[in-house]
């Protein structure tokens, strides 16, 4: 159970020993009325160390402290302070040869009184300073004595034996427990007095973010930020009106507001620099600040669960720090942890925590030189731990994921004066870290670093950064040594404001000789401190340019991430629970979507846990949930990601603007069961029917999942959407027989509507915003690029067309004077070219053959289109009198059935094409009748028809984003793949709804909106009448639509046939 932090260290650490030393008393066994003698103080002398000695001693001390299973005192920090401390015997302590000033003034106290009379707990479940005294009292209850002066035996042996045998009834090695399980209950080890929840409290926390752009990024944080107040400080172009989601409770401040509040001294708030966030720190009236940058997104822990930074930071700040000795089990106040053997009990109450420093996934916070040297490096592994930064040790602070206690450390968190008009930048938060750590050490306040993680999405330009940081590469060496060796504080500096003002004076006196900037910095610090004190006294007024107050409650308030602090119950809580977002300039879809909360065993999070539990190698990219450039193709993992678009869709539907939480309001029910990902896990794959040779295992799981859907019945299942993002025939029959699902476009199943979708593509260069900047018609270097596998696997994957095409093109080095490049994929998915090299080849080529595989779906088709390479396919006669060719094999479905969002003049009107944004593949796909036609057809185009090539490239430019799902900043881009799925679902819902018997007022949950029994009234569309035209295709069109739309809908038939097939 979470509890109050212990009192400040003075109440424990400054206790004076109540019992005088008993040196000279007779050596009698100690009874319940006697105490052990106190140790005598060491002789002492004063000593100062050089910087070299200081650094060396710090390194040695810190290294010793982290040796596993062995704990050492760490005496670290500056030894330049001369201090007088009262020892436990009342003598003046003057020997600091082992104990330096930073640590000494906080650890020289009456430790004996503390461990004899203190509490047995610090926080709930964590041992406290008084354990030794309580254990002694407990042993003495056995009736045996303790010989505190034993020389050649264990003095407590008799008492321990009595306690084990009589009080605890022995120790059971089988169960690792006492015979009498209640034998230690009298010790009272339990929750700390005054316990309270450590759930983040909106009344205590403000979120501060500086920004120059629209605040859409907040939508990805809604499940954690809703109900909390957000202070936005607008930098950059002050004339721009930033878009902010309607659900956000916020106040927005501009430069004009800063000038109004601070007058002529407004310059102390930086311009065109992230340190403008200082103004948010200043105006907040809450105790805690959490500050985050607008290019940060939620990260996922090692079990695949989204991390709630507010919950972690709040917990870090509400629990003590341990700066005077490192605990090798990291944070001892975390559930499931404690202080390790050898950690002195007198220090176990810790000190109050002033700063919680979080870190990041993906883009590391490197300086410019490191960026230039490690341009492709990414942070891909989470270390789920929290450490207290030791006293006297400094660290690099990054403000993109930071929280602090304004009461304990507030003004010392000022980000350094930088940005426009200053000689350096990007050291604002570094300076804040050095200064706040110096003040925290002086005041006896702790700083923690580690969890929570966030995901840093954007890498800043290293050349821009180098320009800003260049001076700092030298200055940081000077400034940090100043903090390490020069800074001292007087006894009067007993508040953060007073200490920070003293620090400012020392900066002016010591560093101004380095550069005049430091004099200006010192002045800004002094003015800042004055403003801080005035603001705290209510003497400053802050008026925002805009604000929005909401009455929305917090959601997922107690959710950290599964397993980390054991606050999660096994139920998937990564959800948004209110529908109040208005996404401006985003998808126009109005479809109301209900997303099920599945039992944990059926969730995406459970799947992520499973794949993360395996040791097989993975690439640098996650399972299709975030923008990521895959650096290397890692075997099965990279191959199977193409079937994991269900993860992408689950993420998008969960945060969808028109998501509803009352099933009665729903148009469509989304079932976020990642069946395709489960069937295609990179550890093993299940193909036909997802059986894996085990005919019942997955089928039973699917059946159990279906039974858990409480709103699914024979009538409502028409509107339940299943995410089957693999080849259609490779899913469980129980799901492909459902009326509505999405898939990659395999075989159609009569009676179902299969919305064909593209696979996921997380490459940043193919996000919708990047595609909008692509030069689609620029000249190419290569005529044809082919990258294809030729080895037969199970006699299915490679057919003669692939081999023949490879042979033909390999023997054709040039077409129309441009080179032809072919590569064989060795074995099964062993690529000669890297992922990025393959993408580059696509971009540099005019034509890319897409040859048949084992099923109609080919990921390569979407890759080449997104890269601007014109696809070349072999066209076969298709089935069902379909005039559109099959691109797979003779007698198979036409491409209008197997490819996403396809326009067909066979089933659509021109108005349908425009209204639904359908893709006319005939405008950009080159069809050839055989492998041997590839070279002559392409040669003719390249030599004689540049206008046709330009037309095809232009057509690709118009439709490319329909084949990618916007992620990160591109989420919900109009016209992307997700938007087109929504359009298809709206059309489906409209047609089904209009044909259902209940009409718009139908009670959906009680009677169903449509069901699957839409009978064949349209098969005899004209009844006894005849077709107006004698064109026999009318009958085939009705037959086709009957299959495709589950016996069709009259309105759909009318729309398709009205031009040519009206009845007489």
């Amino acid at each position: 159970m979470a509890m109050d932090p212990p009192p400040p260290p003075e109440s424990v650490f400054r206790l004076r020993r109540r019992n005088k030393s008993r040196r000279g008393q007779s050596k009698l066994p100690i009874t319940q009325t006697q105490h052990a003698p106190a140790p005598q103080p060491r002789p002492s002398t004063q000593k100062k160390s050089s910087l070299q000695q200081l650094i060396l001693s710090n390194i040695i001390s810190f290294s010793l402290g982290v040796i596993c299973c062995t704990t050492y005192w760490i005496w670290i920090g500056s030894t330049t302070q001369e201090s007088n401390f009262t020892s436990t015997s009342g003598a003046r302590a003057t020997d600091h040869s082992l104990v330096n000033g930073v640590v000494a003034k906080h650890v020289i106290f009456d430790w004996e009184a503390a461990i004899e009379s203190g509490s047995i707990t610090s926080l709930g479940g964590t041992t406290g300073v008084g354990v030794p005294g309580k254990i002694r009292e407990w042993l003495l209850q056995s009736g045996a004595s303790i010989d505190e002066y034993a020389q050649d035996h264990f003095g407590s042996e008799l008492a321990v034996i009595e306690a084990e045998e009589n009080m605890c009834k022995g120790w059971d090695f089988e169960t690792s427990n006492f015979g009498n399980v209640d034998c230690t209950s009298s010790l009272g080890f339990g929750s700390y007095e005054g316990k309270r929840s450590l759930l983040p409290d909106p009344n205590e926390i403000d979120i501060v973010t500086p920004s120059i752009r629209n605040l859409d990024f907040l939508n990805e944080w809604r499940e954690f930020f809703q109900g909390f107040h957000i202070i936005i400080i607008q930098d950059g172009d002050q004339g721009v009106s930033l878009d902010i989601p309607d659900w956000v409770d916020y106040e927005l401040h501009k430069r004009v507001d800063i000038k109004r509040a601070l007058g002529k001294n407004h310059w102390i708030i930086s311009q065109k620099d992230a340190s403008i966030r200082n103004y948010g720190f200043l105006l907040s009236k809450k105790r805690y600040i959490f500050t985050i940058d607008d290019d940060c997104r939620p990260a996922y822990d090692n079990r695949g669960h989204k991390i709630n930074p507010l919950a972690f930071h709040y917990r870090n700040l509400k629990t003590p720090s341990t700066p005077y000795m490192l605990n090798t089990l990291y944070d001892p106040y975390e559930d499931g942890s404690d202080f390790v053997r050898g950690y002195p009990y007198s220090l176990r109450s810790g000190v109050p925590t002033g700063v919680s420093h979080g870190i990041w996934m993906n883009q590391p916070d490197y300086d410019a030189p490191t960026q230039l040297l490690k341009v492709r490096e990414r942070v891909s592994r989470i270390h789920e731990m929290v450490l207290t930064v030791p006293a006297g040790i400094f660290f690099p602070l990054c403000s993109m994921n930071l929280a602090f206690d304004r009461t304990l450390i507030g003004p010392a968190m000022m980000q350094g004066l930088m940005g426009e008009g200053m000689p350096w930048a990007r050291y604002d938060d570094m300076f804040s870290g050095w200064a706040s750590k110096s003040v925290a050490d002086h005041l006896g306040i702790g700083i923690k670093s580690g969890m929570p993680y966030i995901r840093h999405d954007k890498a800043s330009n290293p050349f821009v950064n180098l320009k800003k940081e260049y001076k700092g590469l030298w200055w940081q060496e000077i400034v940090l040594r100043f903090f390490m060796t020069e800074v001292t504080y007087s006894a009067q500096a007993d508040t953060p404001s007073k200490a920070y003002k003293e620090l400012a004076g020392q900066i002016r006196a010591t560093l101004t000789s380095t550069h005049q900037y430091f004099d200006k910095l010192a002045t800004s610090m002094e003015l800042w401190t004055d403003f801080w004190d005035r603001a705290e006294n209510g003497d400053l007024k802050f008026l925002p340019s805009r604000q929005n107050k909401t009455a929305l409650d917090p959601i997922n308030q107690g959710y950290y991430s599964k397993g980390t602090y054991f606050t999660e119950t096994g139920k998937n809580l990564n959800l948004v629970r209110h529908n109040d977002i208005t996404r401006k300039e985003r998808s126009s879809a109005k479809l109301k979507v209900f997303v099920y909360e599945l039992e944990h065993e059926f969730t995406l999070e459970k799947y992520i846990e499973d794949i993360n539990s395996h040791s097989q190698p993975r690439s640098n990219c996650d399972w299709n949930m975030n923008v990521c450039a895959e650096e290397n193709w890692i075997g099965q993992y990279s191959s199977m990601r193409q079937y994991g678009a269900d993860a992408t869709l689950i993420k998008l539907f969960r945060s969808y603007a028109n998501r509803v939480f009352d099933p009665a309001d729903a148009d469509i029910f989304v079932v976020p069961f990642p069946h395709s990902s489960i069937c295609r896990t990179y550890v093993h794959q299940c193909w036909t029917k997802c059986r894996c040779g085990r005919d019942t295992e997955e089928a039973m799981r699917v059946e159990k999942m279906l039974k858990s859907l409480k709103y699914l019945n024979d009538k409502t299942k028409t509107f339940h959407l299943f995410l089957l993002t693999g080849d259609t025939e490779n899913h469980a029959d129980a799901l492909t027989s459902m009326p509505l699902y999405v898939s990659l476009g395999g075989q159609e199943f009569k009676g179902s509507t299969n919305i064909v979708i593209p696979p996921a593509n997380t490459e940043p260069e193919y996000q919708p915003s990047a595609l909008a900047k692509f030069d689609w018609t620029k000249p190419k270097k290569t005529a044809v690029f082919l990258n294809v596998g030729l080895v037969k696997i199970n006699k299915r994957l490679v057919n003669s067309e692939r081999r023949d095409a490879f042979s033909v093109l390999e023997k054709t080095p040039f077409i129309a004077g441009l080179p032809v490049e072919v590569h064989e994929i060795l074995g099964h998915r062993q690529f000669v070219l890297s992922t990025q090299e393959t993408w580059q080849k696509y971009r540099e080529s005019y034509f890319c053959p897409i040859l048949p595989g084992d099923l109609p779906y080919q990921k390569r088709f979407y890759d080449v289109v997104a890269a601007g390479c014109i696809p070349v396919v072999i066209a076969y006669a298709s089935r069902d009198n379909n005039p559109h060719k099959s691109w797979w094999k003779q007698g198979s479905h036409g491409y209008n059935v197997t490819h996403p969002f396809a326009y067909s003049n066979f089933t659509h009107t021109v108005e349908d094409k425009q209204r639904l944004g359908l893709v006319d593949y005939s405008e950009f796909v080159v069809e050839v009748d055989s492998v041997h036609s590839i070279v002559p057809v392409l040669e003719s185009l390249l030599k004689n028809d540049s206008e046709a090539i330009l037309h095809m490239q232009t057509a690709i430019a118009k439709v490319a984003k329909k084949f990618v799902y916007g992620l990160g900043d591109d989420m919900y881009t109009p016209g992307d793949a997700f938007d087109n799925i929504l359009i298809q679902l709206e059309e489906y819902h409209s047609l089904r709804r209009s044909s259902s018997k209940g009409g718009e007022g139908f009670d959906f949950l009680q009677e169903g909106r449509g069901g699957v029994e839409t009978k064949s009234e349209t098969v005899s569309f004209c009844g006894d009448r005849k077709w107006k035209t004698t064109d026999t295709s009318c009958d085939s069109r009705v037959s086709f639509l009957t299959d495709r739309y589950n016996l069709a809908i009259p309105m759909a038939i009318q729309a398709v046939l009205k031009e040519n097939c009206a009845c007489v």
Side-chain angles (χ1 to χ4, degrees), residues 792 796-804 851-854 888:
K792 284 191 175 183
R796 293 191 63 191
L797 293 183
V798 177
N799 49 38
S800 59
E801 286 89 345
R802 286 194 178 193
R803 292 180 176 276
D804 293 345
L851 302 171
D854 57 332
W888 181 35

Side-chain angles (χ1 to χ4, degrees), residues 127-427:
T127 51
V129 296
V131 167
K134 294 294 191 297
I135 288 293
R136 182 169 59 191
E137 292 175 6
W138 179 73
L139 287 174
L140 293 175
Q141 290 175 11
S142 68
S145 62
I146 299 174
D147 183 0
E148 298 286 357
Y149 303 101
Q151 299 291 324
D152 56 1
H153 64 282
F154 300 121
S156 62
E157 183 174 7
L158 293 177
V160 170
I161 291 173
E162 284 294 317
E164 179 183 6
E165 293 181 354
N166 297 323
M167 296 168 64
C168 293
K169 308 303 181 185
W171 176 257
D172 188 336
F173 286 97
E174 293 290 330
T175 62
S176 294
N177 206 342
F178 313 115
N180 172 20
V181 294
D182 296 322
C183 75
T184 60
S185 60
S186 63
L187 287 168
F189 181 71
S191 299
Y192 189 80
E193 291 183 8
K195 62 184 179 181
R196 65 181 170 193
S197 170
L198 293 184
L199 303 183
D201 184 353
N203 296 314
E204 287 198 307
I205 303 172
D206 272 338
I207 300 171
V208 173
T209 183
S211 189
I212 61 172
R213 57 181 64 90
N214 293 336
L215 280 297
D216 287 347
F217 89 101
L218 291 172
N219 285 326
E220 293 193 53
W221 290 105
R222 182 178 181 182
E223 60 201 286
F224 301 136
F225 288 4
Q226 179 176 295
F228 289 82
H229 184 62
I230 301 179
I231 300 171
I232 301 163
I233 312 300
Q234 182 173 341
D235 204 3
D237 187 346
Q238 299 292 287
V240 173
S241 179
L242 303 184
D243 286 343
I244 304 170
D246 289 351
W247 61 268
V248 178
D249 187 295
Y250 71 88
E251 55 185 292
L252 182 144
H253 295 261
K254 295 185 175 184
R255 177 56 57 175
V256 65
D257 307 314
I258 298 174
K259 290 180 179 179
R260 181 171 54 242
L262 306 186
K264 65 180 181 179
N265 292 321
H266 69 88
W267 61 269
I268 71 168
I269 303 298
S270 303
Q271 298 188 65
K272 297 184 179 179
D273 190 83
S275 57
I276 196 173
R277 75 180 82 226
N278 280 337
Y279 190 66
F281 299 169
L282 181 66
L283 67 89
S284 172
K285 295 301 181 185
K286 306 284 180 64
R287 176 163 183 173
Y288 302 105
I289 291 287
F290 168 56
T291 184
I292 187 171
D293 286 0
D294 62 8
D295 59 352
C296 296
R297 303 294 185 271
Y300 290 80
D301 66 14
N302 292 324
R303 287 155 299 279
H305 284 252
K306 195 177 290 186
I307 295 169
N308 181 355
L310 284 178
F312 275 94
H313 279 305
Y314 193 70
R315 188 184 196 285
N316 288 344
L317 292 169
K318 284 289 191 179
T319 56
S321 294
T322 53
Y324 308 124
M325 188 172 182
L326 180 73
N327 189 51
T328 51
L329 248 180
Y330 314 120
D331 188 351
Y333 306 108
E334 173 186 322
D335 289 345
S337 181
D338 211 311
F339 294 95
V340 297
R341 177 170 55 89
Y343 202 104
Y345 282 92
S346 62
L347 299 180
R348 295 195 181 195
S349 62
V351 302
T353 302
V355 179
S356 172
H357 178 251
I359 43 185
W360 3 259
M361 296 291 293
N362 197 33
Q363 299 291 347
D365 186 35
Y366 287 158
D367 61 16
T370 310
Q371 276 186 292
L372 291 169
L373 296 172
K374 308 181 82 171
V375 67
R376 299 199 65 80
E377 184 153 291
R378 301 292 184 269
V379 179
S380 59
R381 186 176 298 275
I382 281 184
H383 303 281
E384 296 186 26
M385 62 181 70
V386 178
L387 289 170
T388 295
V389 183
I393 292 292
F394 291 86
F395 74 108
L397 180 145
C398 172
S399 288
M400 73 172 75
N401 176 22
L402 177 75
F404 64 92
D405 186 326
R406 295 179 75 255
T407 302
L408 292 178
I409 199 70
M413 289 306 300
M414 172 189 168
Q415 314 286 285
L417 179 67
M418 296 190 191
E420 189 173 70
M422 301 300 151
W424 65 333
R426 284 176 52 82
Y427 281 90

Side-chain angles (χ1 to χ4, degrees), residues 627-630 761-771 836 970:
V627 178
C628 179
E630 192 163 42
N761 180 349
T762 65
E763 296 289 325
E765 295 183 41
Y766 300 100
Q767 285 294 295
S769 60
L771 294 177
Q836 298 306 317
D970 283 9

Side-chain angles (χ1 to χ4, degrees), residues 394 412 414 430-440 483 489 500 503 525:
F394 291 86
M414 172 189 168
M430 296 297 106
F431 177 82
S432 172
W434 303 331
S436 62
K437 186 60 166 64
S438 176
V439 171
F483 277 108
Y489 298 95
Y500 201 61
L503 176 61
M525 294 167 65

